[in-house]
Amino acid sequence: MEASPVTVAAHVLAVDDDPSVRQMIVDYLGDNDIRVTALSSGKQIPEIMARETIDLLVLDIRLPGEDGLQIARQLREESAGLPIIMLTGRKDEADRVMGLELGADDYLTKPFSPRELLARIRALLRRSRSQQTVADGLQKVRAYRFAGWELNVRVRRLTSPDKGVVALTNTEFNLLAAFLAAPQRVLSRDQLLALSRLHNDEVYDRAVDTQVSRLRRKIEPAEAEARLIRTERGAGYIFTAAVEIVR
């Protein structure tokens, strides 16, 4: 069985003043093939970031003598793509809201289960790496062609086989680009949530189904027997057509 790309070579930076919490994170993530650098203070973060490639940050925002929210704000400005999970106390609702507004991706309240932390980390790493892959790919692609259609990436224009222009929302464009970047591959709803930038605290899997349905209505004739986007029950969706890339 092939190893999960989420856990291979992932490097997590964990910042917490509690040595027992740091040790728990190091031990549990280490047992699950994730490398961890653990710090007791946010003051050490710049040094680590300067010499190491960090995939995700776990940050206690209640560090003694330090402003965890300010640390999160500064890191978001300097490393826009770095996923951040905040650790907060149960009564720190205002801090959680502020942290999410500053750009943190997720939070856990103490005490927390290391198993849940691992699940959150894996989900964020999948989302982050999927977004990077598609973004990098789109920078190198001028257009995708499939079944007589053409999606011009540079001007975000979809042209039908009869040369008509079909309007797409931003979400529909991102969703179609995600499918075209990975044809004949099953994409889970989690992947599509991330790739189409649908994800937020109020969005669930059903949002993907709704957007796929809308996209289908635009690119699949009502009388067509074969679907361009096929549902894989319990797994997600697959784009079935051959795709030509124009660079």
Side-chain angles (χ1 to χ4, degrees):
M1 183 175 179
E2 187 177 340
S4 167
V6 172
T7 58
V8 174
H11 187 180
V12 169
L13 178 60
V15 185
D16 194 294
D17 66 301
D18 187 333
S20 63
V21 172
R22 294 198 303 273
Q23 194 61 53
M24 177 188 68
I25 293 174
V26 170
D27 291 344
Y28 193 83
L29 297 187
D31 287 343
N32 286 275
D33 302 317
I34 293 180
R35 178 185 171 198
V36 180
T37 295
L39 305 177
S40 60
S41 168
K43 296 173 183 176
Q44 301 166 278
I45 293 177
E47 177 187 350
I48 298 298
M49 296 286 288
R51 71 168 190 259
E52 301 278 1
T53 299
I54 301 299
D55 297 290
L56 182 143
L57 173 69
V58 177
L59 175 66
D60 183 356
I61 60 173
R62 287 285 186 177
L63 295 168
E66 299 180 79
D67 185 344
L69 293 174
Q70 177 59 33
I71 293 172
R73 179 189 294 112
Q74 185 172 347
L75 283 171
R76 178 54 69 233
E77 291 174 354
E78 296 174 353
S79 303
L82 178 68
I84 299 175
I85 297 178
M86 299 181 303
L87 302 180
T88 72
R90 291 195 179 278
K91 297 181 180 180
D92 298 334
E93 181 179 359
D95 285 346
R96 290 197 295 273
V97 172
M98 180 65 72
L100 291 170
E101 288 179 349
L102 291 175
D105 299 276
D106 205 347
Y107 71 87
L108 280 175
T109 55
K110 293 183 175 181
F112 58 87
S113 158
R115 184 177 180 181
E116 182 176 5
L117 174 62
L118 176 64
R120 302 287 185 96
I121 287 172
R122 284 177 168 169
L124 284 176
L125 289 177
R126 279 196 298 270
R127 190 184 313 161
S128 174
R129 289 177 176 177
S130 295
Q131 289 173 332
Q132 289 169 7
T133 299
V134 170
D136 292 344
L138 288 179
Q139 289 179 0
K140 302 172 184 176
V141 172
R142 286 193 292 123
Y144 292 106
R145 292 174 181 152
F146 62 96
W149 294 79
E150 178 177 292
L151 182 68
N152 187 311
V153 172
R154 302 290 172 82
V155 297
R156 302 173 74 88
R157 182 178 64 224
L158 178 63
T159 305
S160 69
D162 62 6
K163 306 306 178 185
V165 175
V166 177
L168 295 176
T169 65
N170 285 336
T171 297
E172 290 166 349
F173 172 86
N174 290 333
L175 186 60
L176 180 56
F179 278 124
L180 297 177
Q184 286 99 47
R185 279 176 44 196
V186 175
L187 295 176
S188 70
R189 287 177 173 82
D190 280 346
Q191 287 175 303
L192 291 170
L193 279 170
L195 295 172
S196 56
R197 295 167 177 80
L198 280 168
H199 185 86
N200 62 47
D201 290 341
E202 303 300 326
V203 172
Y204 303 92
D205 287 356
R206 187 58 60 187
V208 171
D209 298 333
T210 300
Q211 293 298 332
V212 168
S213 178
R214 290 174 179 170
L215 183 58
R216 276 174 169 161
R217 287 198 293 269
K218 292 188 176 183
I219 66 174
E220 294 178 347
E223 67 278 4
E225 294 183 7
R227 286 206 177 269
L228 290 173
I229 303 172
R230 187 175 71 228
T231 303
E232 293 292 313
R233 189 173 299 277
Y237 295 94
I238 183 170
F239 194 84
T240 63
V243 177
E244 175 190 356
I245 298 175
V246 181
R247 299 187 185 278

